[in-house]
């Protein structure tokens, strides 16, 4: 494990007492130890279980469900006692498509509620209640997947010569991207899909198995979110055949390919918008919102080049999202055979003023995909609170900025950072472990467990600063990556993060992959490649693949300190303990009932286990992972 020059504060240095733990709190989550993993149907009765540690003075246990918006309490019975813990079981009727429930513990002096946010000796809102949903979750392969996001213009050139369009400003491959200004969206580096195909060995060395491509449709920008058509692939990327070839190559290696679609808007050069402007009687006229502004139409965030789509139009829905002839279905079919879609600004799709078709659009996309390819995944983009859109009926999962990216950043950010905080007009704040974990628990609690275990957890994307720039050191990159590959959900990384690439905002972070450095031909120009960081990512991906608990297990927080957090990932056959520290801390002792021994899977530190319990070391920064026996 890497060493650090971080020094504890004087107050912390004087405090030699071991930290406390959180394992004396009753626990429930939606994993296999506590609830059946089969999808229930309306009318089913589902047994749910509660783990109560020794020393809890409960006099009775109930489950409170909400049936047709009215609370209903059912009793729990003691099922068994083992290892100093009591297990209760209660039967929850699935009366509504999404059935919420919480645990009630009657104790001397009052009662406590247990929700997804923790245990409370006061009344709390229903927002954090556990949820059962009748809607199937993401395809099974998503639990095992590691997603690799590629921004096509910046990943790799194939060497194919192509004429540049009139809007493009050509850039040398080792030139730094312009992070802000008129050149930013038109700076073109010339990466293409054949270039991606030629570098698939790199992806397999790393251990990823799913490629997510940002848009590939023709446009007038390097990001291609302003599509001029959804009917073919941009010739600058190699055209339709290049996408089909990449798909064949990936599938031939046992890998998958996910595309990116804007259902919220098109570009102002889109064939539909051009027809709508040219002919007020054209059917495409109803695809957009028209107004009395100088521009004449509504645009996404008032960006003139991105006219907003209106789902009042059934014809728009038929062409874009609904049915076998839609854009959604076309690219899932051979020869392209996409394995899913990521939907850009999904939170805004179908929403404008008094209109709210967002859930209807999500359900239509989901139904279209299920008919075209039942094994395809549907992921939304939503930067803040996505809970209301993630009941399970539409999007399978979300790009998990709110519940993962942002809280991890606030815990690990360089204290001297000057970076903006993802749309908030402040720099990224540095917060404690309790603050970060409370945020993660609060956001996780708003969605069913079936969604939580499929969320795309990220440490950055093409829309954010680079992780290495956020945290400032290789050591803290390793801590962040340790969380990424051990936390519930699907890890997703932006191409280049595995080599420590840097960037101060989303556009500046879209730096070309430095293949000369990666492949040992570095001429000494451009961004440097950190081989040690690549090895960290490679080993952590291999660790995740070696452990069912890390892919499918529940989540129990064990320690939450200012500078360290620890949690258990558990299945019926495996228990894994993860410790992440951003600095040296005072250590902690966990109950001896957890294990009689421990095998270090990552980090190299021994976990001392004796009659007093499991003694977590106070080293840091770093990540340690143990399999408990």
């Amino acid at each position: 494990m890497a060493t650090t020059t971080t020094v504890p504060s004087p107050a912390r240095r004087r405090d030699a007492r071991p930290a406390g733990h959180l394992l004396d709190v009753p626990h429930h989550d939606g994993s296999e130890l506590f609830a059946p993993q089969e999808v229930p149907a309306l009318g089913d009765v589902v047994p749910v279980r509660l783990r109560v540690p020794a020393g809890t003075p409960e006099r009775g246990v109930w489950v409170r469900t909400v049936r047709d918006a009215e609370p209903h309490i059912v009793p729990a019975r003691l099922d068994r006692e083992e290892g100093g813990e009591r297990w209760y079981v209660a039967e929850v009727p699935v009366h509504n498509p999404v059935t919420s429930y919480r645990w009630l513990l009657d104790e001397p002096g009052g009662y406590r509620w247990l929700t997804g946010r923790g245990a409370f000796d006061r009344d709390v809102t229903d927002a954090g209640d556990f949820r059962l949903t009748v809607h199937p979750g993401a395809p099974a392969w998503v639990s095992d997947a590691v997603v690799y996001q590629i921004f096509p213009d910046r990943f790799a050139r194939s060497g194919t010569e192509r004429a540049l369009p009139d809007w493009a400003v050509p850039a040398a491959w080792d030139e730094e991207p312009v992070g802000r200004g008129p050149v930013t969206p038109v700076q073109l580096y010339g990466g293409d899909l054949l270039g991606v195909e030629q570098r698939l060995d790199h992806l397999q060395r790393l251990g990823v198995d799913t490629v997510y491509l940002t848009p590939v449709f023709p446009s007038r920008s390097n990001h291609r979110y302003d599509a001029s058509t959804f009917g073919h692939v941009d010739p600058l990327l190699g055209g339709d055949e290049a996408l089909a070839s990449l798909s064949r190559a990936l599938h031939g290696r046992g890998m998958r390919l996910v595309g990116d679609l804007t259902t919220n808007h098109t570009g102002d050069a889109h064939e539909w918008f051009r027809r709508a402007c040219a002919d007020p009687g054209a059917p495409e006229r109803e695809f957009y919102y028209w107004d009395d502004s100088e521009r004449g139409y509504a645009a996404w965030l008032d960006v003139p080049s991105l006219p907003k789509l209106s789902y009042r139009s059934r014809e728009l829905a038929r062409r874009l999202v609904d049915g076998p002839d839609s854009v959604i279905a076309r690219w899932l079919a051979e020869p392209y055979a996409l394995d899913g879609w990521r939907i850009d600004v999904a939170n805004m799709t179908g929403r404008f003023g008094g209109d709210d078709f967002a859930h209807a659009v999500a359900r239509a996309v989901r139904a279209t995909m299920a008919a075209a390819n039942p094994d395809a995944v549907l992921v939304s983009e939503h930067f803040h609170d996505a809970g209301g859109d993630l009941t399970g009926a539409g999007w399978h999962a979300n790009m998990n900025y709110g519940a993962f990216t942002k809280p991890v950043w606030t815990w690990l950010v360089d204290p001297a950072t000057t970076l903006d905080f993802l749309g908030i007009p402040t720099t990224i704040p540095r917060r404690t472990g309790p603050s970060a974990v409370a945020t993660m628990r609060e956001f996780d609690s708003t969605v069913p467990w079936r969604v939580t275990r499929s969320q795309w957890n990220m440490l950055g994307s093409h829309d954010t600063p680079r992780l290495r720039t956020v945290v400032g050191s290789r050591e803290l990159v390793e801590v962040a990556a340790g969380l990424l590959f051990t936390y519930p959900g699907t890890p997703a990384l932006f191409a280049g993060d595995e080599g420590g690439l840097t960037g101060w905002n989303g556009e500046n972070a879209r730096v070309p992959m430095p293949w000369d450095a990666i492949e040992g031909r570095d001429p000494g120009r451009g961004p440097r490649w950190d081989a040690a960081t690549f090895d960290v990512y490679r080993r952590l991906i291999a660790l995740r693949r070696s452990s069912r608990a890390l892919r499918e297990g529940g989540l129990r927080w064990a320690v939450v300190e200012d500078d360290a957090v620890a949690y258990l990932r558990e299945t019926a056959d495996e228990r894994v303990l993860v410790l992440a520290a951003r600095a040296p801390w005072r250590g902690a002792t966990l109950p001896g009932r957890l294990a009689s021994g421990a095998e270090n899977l990552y980090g190299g530190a021994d976990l001392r286990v004796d009659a007093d319990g499991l003694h977590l070391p106070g080293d840091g920064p770093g990540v340690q992972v143990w399999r408990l026996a």
Side-chain angles (χ1 to χ4, degrees):
M1 184 178 68
T3 59
T4 178
T5 57
T6 304
V7 178
S9 68
R12 178 59 49 83
R13 194 183 297 117
R14 288 195 299 267
D15 187 359
R17 294 177 296 105
H21 64 80
L22 305 180
L23 298 178
D24 54 0
V25 178
H27 180 76
H28 174 83
D29 60 45
S31 66
E32 65 181 43
L33 291 176
F34 301 94
Q37 299 304 289
E38 298 80 11
V39 180
L42 279 175
D44 284 355
V45 176
V46 174
V48 294
R49 291 176 168 77
L50 177 70
R51 172 186 244 143
V52 177
T56 304
E58 81 280 4
R59 298 181 298 203
V61 177
W62 292 265
V63 165
R64 193 207 75 169
T65 64
V66 177
R67 179 185 302 178
D68 299 334
E70 179 66 16
H72 181 73
I73 293 181
V74 298
R77 67 179 185 278
L78 182 63
D79 184 53
R80 68 184 190 276
E81 296 187 56
E82 61 183 22
E85 298 175 320
R86 295 179 294 282
W87 287 77
Y88 289 87
V89 63
E91 310 291 335
V92 174
V94 182
H95 184 72
N96 301 110
V98 179
T99 297
S100 63
Y101 64 98
R102 60 168 67 179
W103 295 90
L104 172 66
L105 291 93
D106 179 25
E107 298 174 347
Y111 61 82
R112 280 194 293 172
W113 294 113
L114 181 71
T115 74
R117 295 178 182 173
F120 301 90
D121 58 1
R122 57 180 173 82
D123 290 340
V124 293
T125 69
D126 295 356
D129 283 5
F130 304 106
R131 290 166 176 78
L132 295 171
T133 175
V134 301
H135 306 294
W141 62 264
V142 174
S143 293
D144 297 331
V146 177
V147 178
Y148 191 79
Q149 180 189 5
I150 291 176
F151 191 86
D153 183 55
R154 311 291 164 86
F155 189 71
R157 292 170 172 167
S158 66
T160 305
E161 294 295 331
R162 297 185 179 95
L164 291 181
D166 58 3
W167 55 263
V169 175
W173 196 253
D174 60 359
E175 186 176 338
E176 182 178 356
V178 176
R180 186 173 292 128
V183 173
T184 296
V186 295
Q187 190 177 27
L188 197 70
Y189 285 78
D192 57 20
L193 297 181
L194 180 55
V196 176
E197 184 176 338
Q198 292 170 344
R199 293 306 201 284
L200 294 185
D201 286 349
H202 172 81
L203 276 61
Q204 290 203 296
R205 281 195 301 271
L206 180 60
V208 302
D209 60 4
T210 301
V211 170
Y212 151 48
L213 293 175
T214 56
V216 297
F217 301 115
S219 73
R220 294 182 61 82
S221 71
N222 52 40
H223 54 72
R224 297 184 171 87
Y225 285 100
D226 56 333
S228 60
T229 179
F230 297 127
H232 61 85
V233 174
D234 194 335
L236 289 172
L237 295 177
D240 292 1
E241 175 51 35
L243 182 64
S245 178
L246 175 60
S247 177
R248 288 192 298 269
L250 285 164
H251 291 141
R253 294 172 180 244
M255 302 170 75
R256 290 181 169 86
L257 180 61
V258 174
D260 196 336
L261 184 65
T262 56
T263 54
N264 175 73
H265 56 264
T266 67
D268 61 353
H270 197 281
E271 55 194 354
W272 297 344
F273 190 68
R274 292 289 177 89
R275 289 180 203 139
C277 290
D279 180 5
E284 292 84 2
R285 184 78 179 180
E286 65 177 13
F287 290 10
Y288 299 90
Y289 289 98
W290 306 93
D291 57 31
D292 296 328
S293 67
E294 181 178 352
R295 186 172 57 231
Y297 56 89
W300 177 73
L301 298 184
D302 290 324
V303 177
S305 62
L306 302 174
K308 171 88 174 176
L309 290 167
S310 169
Y311 285 88
R312 292 182 182 183
S313 170
R314 285 296 308 143
E315 177 62 13
L316 168 66
R318 186 192 68 78
R319 290 197 202 177
L320 187 55
V321 300
D322 195 358
D325 297 323
S326 65
V327 172
I328 287 286
R330 179 192 172 190
W331 297 96
L332 297 180
E334 295 288 353
Y336 314 107
L338 295 184
D339 296 288
W341 286 107
R342 177 265 196 188
I343 302 300
D344 183 56
V345 292
N347 57 305
M348 298 183 71
T349 292
R351 289 178 168 137
F352 184 77
D355 290 350
D356 191 344
F357 302 105
H359 290 185
V361 172
R363 289 193 297 269
V365 174
R366 175 87 168 262
T368 298
M369 291 174 61
N373 176 6
D375 214 26
V377 68
L378 176 59
V379 179
S380 60
E381 182 201 29
H382 196 311
F383 262 86
H384 46 102
D385 183 3
D389 293 343
L390 291 173
T391 63
W395 324 120
H396 285 128
N398 186 53
M399 298 182 79
N400 204 15
Y401 291 102
F404 191 83
T405 314
K406 293 172 75 173
V408 170
W409 278 18
T410 62
W411 189 50
L412 297 177
V413 65
D414 182 347
T417 189
T418 59
L419 298 175
D420 295 338
F421 193 27
L422 299 182
I424 299 174
T426 68
T427 55
I428 303 170
R430 182 171 169 87
R431 293 179 172 148
T432 63
S435 173
V437 170
T439 302
M440 296 167 90
R441 294 189 72 167
E442 185 153 341
F443 278 83
D444 282 340
S445 71
T446 64
V447 301
W449 176 261
R450 194 172 297 132
V451 174
T452 296
R453 61 173 287 181
S454 302
Q455 297 277 60
W456 276 19
N457 296 330
M458 306 169 299
L459 297 168
S461 73
H462 71 297
D463 285 325
T464 75
R466 288 280 184 176
L467 174 66
R468 179 63 178 264
T469 304
V470 171
V471 302
S473 71
R474 177 193 295 160
E475 290 82 5
L476 290 178
V477 166
E478 182 172 13
V479 175
L483 294 170
L484 177 67
F485 293 109
T486 62
Y487 196 77
T490 301
L493 60 144
F494 183 31
D497 275 355
E498 76 275 18
L501 298 189
T502 59
W504 55 268
N505 73 354
E507 289 78 9
N508 179 249
R510 298 170 190 176
V511 59
M513 290 285 281
W515 292 110
D516 283 341
I518 295 169
E519 297 170 351
R521 303 184 307 275
D522 186 14
R525 303 188 307 272
R528 307 295 299 175
W529 185 256
D530 187 345
T533 295
F534 179 87
D535 189 57
V536 163
Y537 273 75
R538 182 190 59 78
R539 289 188 292 122
L540 284 167
I541 291 171
L543 168 65
R544 176 182 166 82
R545 295 203 182 284
S546 73
S547 168
R548 191 170 80 88
L550 292 180
R551 300 191 308 274
E552 302 176 25
L555 174 68
R556 266 203 295 168
W557 290 99
V559 174
V560 179
E561 290 282 301
D562 286 358
D563 293 327
V565 298
Y567 48 85
L568 293 162
R569 301 294 313 280
E570 298 168 302
T571 56
D573 57 348
E574 187 181 22
R575 176 177 287 167
V576 172
L577 173 62
V578 179
L579 169 63
R582 69 180 184 183
W585 62 298
R586 58 183 176 170
T589 299
L590 304 183
R593 66 176 181 269
L594 289 175
S596 58
E599 173 194 4
N600 187 274
L601 302 179
Y602 187 89
D606 290 333
L607 179 65
R608 183 164 61 89
V609 179
D610 58 26
D612 294 325
L614 286 64
H615 303 277
L616 300 183
D619 302 328
V623 176
Q624 302 291 335
V625 182
W626 298 276
R627 180 179 286 121
L628 304 184

